[in-house]
Amino acid sequence: MREATRDTRSSRVRNRSRQGRLWPAHVLLSLGAVVTVFPLVWEVLTSFKSFGESVQVPPTILPAHWDWSNYGKVFDAVPLGRQFVNTAVMALLRTGAQLLLCSMAAYAFARIRFPGRGVIFLGFLAVLMVPGQLFLLPQYQIMQDLGWLDSMQALVIPGMFSAFGTFLLRQFFMGLPEELEEAARLDGANPFTVFWRVALPLAKPGLLALGVLTFLWSWNDLMWPLIVNTDPAKMPLSAGLASLQGAHLTEYPILMAGSLLATLPVIVVFVAMQRQFIQGIAFSGMKG
Amino acid sequence: MSIDVRAETAVPAQRTSQDRLDQRELRRRERRFQHRDKWWGYALIAPAGIGLAVFYLWPVVQTVYYSFTEWGAFGGTSWIGLSNYRTLVGDPEFWQSLGNTGIYTGLVLLGIPLSMVLAVLLNLKGLTGTGIYRTFYFLPVVTMPAAVAVVWRWLYNGDAGILNHALSAIGINGTYWVSDPHVIRFAVAVVGVWMTVGYNMILLLAGLQSIPGDYYEAASLDGAGRIRQFFSVTLPLLSPTLFFTTVLSIIQSLQVFDLVYLIIGGNTQNALQNPAYSEGQTVVMLFFQKAFYDNQRGYGAAIVCVLFVLIMALTAIQFRLQKRWVHYA
C-alpha cells in the first residue's frame, strides 16, 4: 500500500523528521485504541478473578491470584464442548457450501450466456435487498414441517445459500482476465472444466475474502439459532452464551471465561487472515 | 418514446460519431469471453438459485401474505385483511420501539465522524504501526455480540461495575445503566458505536486510499494548506464512500437486535422483567417477541413488513438527497 522507502540516508532522515511530526497522530490513535480494547482486556482480567474478588469495592485491576477455575466451571454450567462443536460444524459447513454454490452461480452469471440470465440475476439481487427478518417466519415453518427443529440441519441448511456471496464473486470473476479461459475453451474444455480448472484458482483472493466473512457471520449468528434450536445441547455458542446469561447466572468471572472461549477462534482467524478480512469488507462493504 | 425517434431522425449528422463509438463499445462487449452452452449456465446456477428461491425469495412472499392473516391456536391461518396493520398503528408498544430504534440509529450515526477521524489519521503518509492500530480498532467488530453484551453488562453493572467506580472517583454517582429507563438507550448506543467504529473506519480508509495523490499535489501547488486540502479535496472525493457508509449504517442500525436484546436480558423472559425493557426494545425485538414468544405470527409479519417499507423509503430518500452533497468524480 505504501511505497517502500529507499534505504538511502536522505530518505531515512526525511522519514525520521516526518515521524517526528506524526506524534500527535500517534497519541490520538493510541488513546482511541486503549479505549477500544479496554472492555476486552477487562474481560480477560475478570475471567481470572474469583467471584469474591470480582465484586470487591474498590475493584482490583490485576487478579490477586490468577484463578483458572472459572474456565472449568463454564463447562459445568452449559454443555460448552458440545456447543463448540456445533458452532464449528455450522460455521465450516455453511462456509464450504457457500464457497462452492456461490462460485458456481457467480461464474455462470459472469461468463455463460443463456436466456433468462438477467431475470434470474434480478431475483438474486432482490434477496440481497430484503432485510433478513422477512425470511425468518417461513424458514422456521419449513424447519418445523421437515421436523428439523433442534437439529444440525436447521443450523446449516438455510445458511448455505447466499445472494451476497454470489454477487461478490460475480464481480470478482468479471474482473479476471479472459485469455486463459478462452484458451482452455479452444482446447475443447467444457464450461465446468474451465470454471473449475482455470477460473476458480484465479479467484482465490475473492474466495478467501468471502470465506472469512461467512465464517465470522456464521460463528457469531444469534437470532436464527435462538429460533430453531432451544435444546442447549443443539445450540451454537452464541445462543448458549445468551441462555447462560439468561439463566440468572450472576457470576461474571464465569461468564467472562465463557465469552472469551467462544470468541477466541474468531479472533485467531481474524488476526491470521486480517488482509483477506479487510479486503472482503472494503470490497463488498455489505453485511449479511 | 416518440420524441426520441424524432430526435434521432432530425439530427443524424450529430449522432453518427456517437453511434460509431457505441458500436465499437458494443462490439468490444460482444467480444468478451462467454460460453455459449446455455445448459451449463442453468446447471451451475440451479443449486444456489433453488436454495435461494425456497429459503429466501418465496419466504418474502409468504411473510407479506402472513401479515394479512391471523394464526389459529392449532396452526392454520385465516385472512383478516388489514387488521394487523390497523392494530399496529394503534399500538403504543410499536411506536415506542420505533422511536427507540430511531434514537439508536441516530446515535450510532454519530460514530461515523469518529471513524472518519481515525481513517484520516491512519492514512497519514509515513505513519508507522498502522497494522496494529487497525487490528485493535477492528477487534470489537469480530467479537461475538453475545460476548460483547456480557462484557458491557459487567462494565455497566450498577454495584460492582468499573464504570461507576471510575465515575465515583470524579464525584459522579453512577446509575444502573442497563435497567434505568432514562439511560438505557444511550448505554446501548455507546456499545453500538464501539462495535461499528472499526467497520466504518475500514470502509472510509479504503475510500481515502483510492484518492489519487496528484489531487493533493495540485492543491498544495495552488497554495492550499492541510485543512483547506481536507475540505476541498478529501471531503468531496470521499463523499461517495461517506454516502455509502451512511446508507449501510442506517440500514443495519434499523435492524438492530442481538446487541440490545442481550444487554437488556439475554432471553425474552428475563428481558421482560427489566424495568428499562420498553425504553430499550427495538422494532426487531418486538417482532421477535410477537412472532416467536407470544405466537402472534401474523402481527409479527406485519411488523417486519412495515420495517422493510421504512428501510426502503429511507434509502430512497437518501439516494434522492445525495445529489446535494455527493460528488462523483
Side-chain angles (χ1 to χ4, degrees):
Chain A
M1 243 169 273
R2 212 145 273 128
E3 74 272 44
T5 36
R6 271 173 302 131
D7 197 19
T8 61
R9 190 172 299 165
S10 69
S11 83
R12 226 182 298 155
V13 168
R14 209 182 308 138
N15 206 22
R16 198 173 304 149
S17 72
R18 193 185 274 158
Q19 284 302 318
R21 271 185 288 116
L22 284 170
W23 69 264
H26 279 295
V27 169
L28 282 174
L29 284 168
S30 315
L31 222 86
V34 168
V35 173
T36 307
V37 176
F38 175 75
L40 300 171
V41 172
W42 196 243
E43 178 184 14
V44 175
L45 292 176
T46 306
S47 75
F48 287 108
K49 291 176 182 171
S50 68
F51 177 64
E53 189 185 354
S54 75
V55 293
Q56 189 180 308
V57 178
T60 52
I61 304 290
L62 292 176
H65 73 102
W66 295 75
D67 184 358
W68 284 87
S69 69
N70 296 317
Y71 287 86
K73 287 181 195 154
V74 170
F75 284 85
D76 301 334
V78 278
L80 201 74
R82 280 288 280 284
Q83 294 180 351
F84 207 94
V85 173
N86 292 345
T87 317
V89 171
M90 171 177 88
L92 288 173
L93 286 182
R94 277 193 194 180
T95 307
Q98 272 198 29
L99 287 181
L100 180 69
L101 302 183
C102 291
S103 64
M104 281 163 53
Y107 185 75
F109 280 128
R111 291 282 207 261
I112 302 178
R113 183 186 298 215
F114 53 90
R117 184 174 72 172
V119 178
I120 301 175
F121 190 64
L122 271 183
F124 276 62
L125 278 183
V127 172
L128 201 60
M129 288 171 62
V130 176
Q133 300 83 29
L134 261 85
F135 314 128
L136 292 174
L137 271 170
Q139 283 181 345
Y140 175 80
Q141 206 63 34
I142 297 173
M143 294 298 130
Q144 199 175 31
D145 292 345
L146 291 171
W148 282 358
L149 294 179
D150 274 321
S151 75
M152 194 41 107
Q153 296 95 295
L155 292 183
V156 174
I157 289 179
M160 288 170 31
F161 312 99
S162 165
F164 164 75
T166 308
F167 189 71
L168 191 147
L169 291 179
R170 171 182 170 266
Q171 296 292 102
F172 210 87
F173 281 125
M174 298 216 301
L176 290 180
E178 297 156 6
E179 288 75 16
L180 279 170
E181 288 175 61
E182 255 171 271
R185 190 70 179 124
L186 289 177
D187 286 346
N190 69 40
F192 185 79
T193 314
V194 179
F195 158 68
W196 193 253
R197 293 274 168 78
V198 184
L200 209 54
L202 288 174
K204 211 173 135 200
L207 293 171
L208 276 173
L210 176 63
V212 283
L213 287 180
T214 308
F215 183 80
L216 169 73
W217 296 337
S218 309
W219 190 276
N220 289 347
D221 188 14
L222 176 73
M223 200 174 191
W224 176 247
L226 273 185
I227 291 171
V228 287
N229 286 10
T230 45
D231 175 1
K234 306 283 167 120
M235 283 178 181
L237 288 163
S238 57
L241 262 183
S243 71
L244 184 65
Q245 185 194 318
H248 303 288
L249 182 74
T250 44
E251 291 216 15
Y252 272 96
I254 299 180
L255 279 170
M256 297 293 144
S259 338
L260 263 177
L261 287 176
T263 313
L264 216 57
V266 193
I267 292 192
V268 169
V269 170
F270 165 63
V271 171
M273 304 188 70
Q274 198 177 152
R275 209 164 47 85
Q276 283 81 8
F277 231 107
I278 289 185
Q279 253 174 8
I281 287 196
F283 182 72
S284 62
M286 297 187 88
K287 210 171 166 183
Chain B
M1 267 303 166
S2 60
I3 296 170
D4 263 11
V5 174
R6 230 184 304 138
E8 219 161 321
T9 45
V11 279
Q14 284 169 339
R15 291 198 49 100
T16 40
S17 67
Q18 185 62 38
D19 271 355
R20 213 172 299 142
L21 247 173
D22 286 350
Q23 286 277 312
R24 213 181 304 149
E25 173 68 20
L26 255 171
R27 229 173 301 139
R28 207 178 59 77
R29 282 203 193 142
E30 197 83 348
R31 233 194 50 219
R32 122 166 281 142
F33 169 69
Q34 281 193 324
H35 301 279
R36 308 250 159 195
D37 328 48
K38 61 181 182 196
W39 295 112
W40 275 111
Y42 295 122
L44 284 172
I45 281 178
I50 292 171
L52 282 171
V54 171
F55 288 108
Y56 294 86
L57 216 48
W58 181 237
V60 174
V61 179
Q62 277 179 300
T63 299
V64 174
Y65 169 75
Y66 287 166
S67 75
F68 297 107
T69 64
E70 189 172 29
W71 287 60
F74 305 99
T77 57
S78 48
W79 180 269
I80 53 167
L82 285 171
S83 184
N84 283 326
Y85 290 97
R86 243 175 262 130
T87 317
L88 199 66
V89 172
D91 184 355
E93 207 181 356
F94 170 69
W95 291 107
Q96 172 87 50
S97 70
L98 194 63
N100 297 341
T101 311
I103 290 172
Y104 175 84
T105 305
L107 291 173
V108 166
L109 282 182
L110 293 179
I112 291 185
L114 209 63
S115 307
M116 174 97 181
V117 170
L118 292 176
V120 167
L121 288 177
L122 281 178
N123 197 40
L124 285 177
K125 230 172 153 190
L127 190 85
T128 48
T130 47
I132 297 169
Y133 288 129
R134 226 174 30 190
T135 309
F136 281 161
Y137 287 117
F138 212 70
L139 277 179
V141 182
V142 296
T143 307
M144 180 183 283
V148 167
V150 170
V151 176
W152 279 89
R153 268 175 76 91
W154 178 226
L155 295 170
Y156 278 149
N157 190 291
D159 302 313
I162 186 82
L163 176 63
N164 278 357
H165 182 72
L167 286 176
S168 75
I170 52 170
I172 298 173
N173 248 335
T175 172
Y176 291 80
W177 299 94
V178 297
S179 53
D180 183 337
H182 300 294
V183 298
I184 180 69
R185 283 177 285 222
F186 299 97
V188 165
V190 165
V191 189
V193 170
W194 182 73
M195 278 185 87
T196 49
V197 157
Y199 181 80
N200 291 332
M201 180 194 81
I202 294 292
L203 291 180
L204 292 169
L205 190 58
L208 283 173
Q209 284 170 345
S210 67
I211 299 177
D214 321 359
Y215 286 92
Y216 293 103
E217 268 165 45
S220 79
L221 279 181
D222 286 347
R226 277 285 170 112
I227 308 267
R228 184 68 202 278
Q229 280 183 29
F230 176 79
F231 283 105
S232 37
V233 179
T234 311
L235 220 44
L237 287 174
L238 194 63
S239 58
T241 316
L242 264 174
F243 170 69
F244 178 65
T245 312
T246 314
V247 171
L248 266 183
S249 259
I250 292 179
I251 293 178
Q252 282 161 15
S253 302
L254 288 175
Q255 298 177 54
V256 66
F257 169 75
D258 14 17
L259 188 67
V260 188
Y261 177 76
L262 290 161
I263 285 187
I264 286 188
N267 63 38
T268 308
Q269 236 168 331
N270 232 13
L272 284 169
Q273 285 160 19
N274 187 331
Y277 184 70
S278 55
E279 279 75 16
Q281 188 181 43
T282 65
V283 175
V284 176
M285 278 169 71
L286 182 67
F287 155 73
F288 185 79
Q289 186 202 324
K290 292 294 176 201
F292 297 104
Y293 192 74
D294 296 343
N295 224 15
Q296 299 176 20
R297 304 259 156 93
Y299 194 52
I303 294 171
V304 281
C305 286
V306 169
L307 182 67
F308 178 36
V309 171
L310 234 138
I311 290 175
M312 286 305 242
L314 266 179
T315 308
I317 291 173
Q318 288 177 82
F319 270 90
R320 270 286 168 97
L321 290 177
Q322 70 165 328
K323 285 181 207 123
R324 303 212 182 143
W325 67 280
V326 179
H327 304 262
Y328 290 98

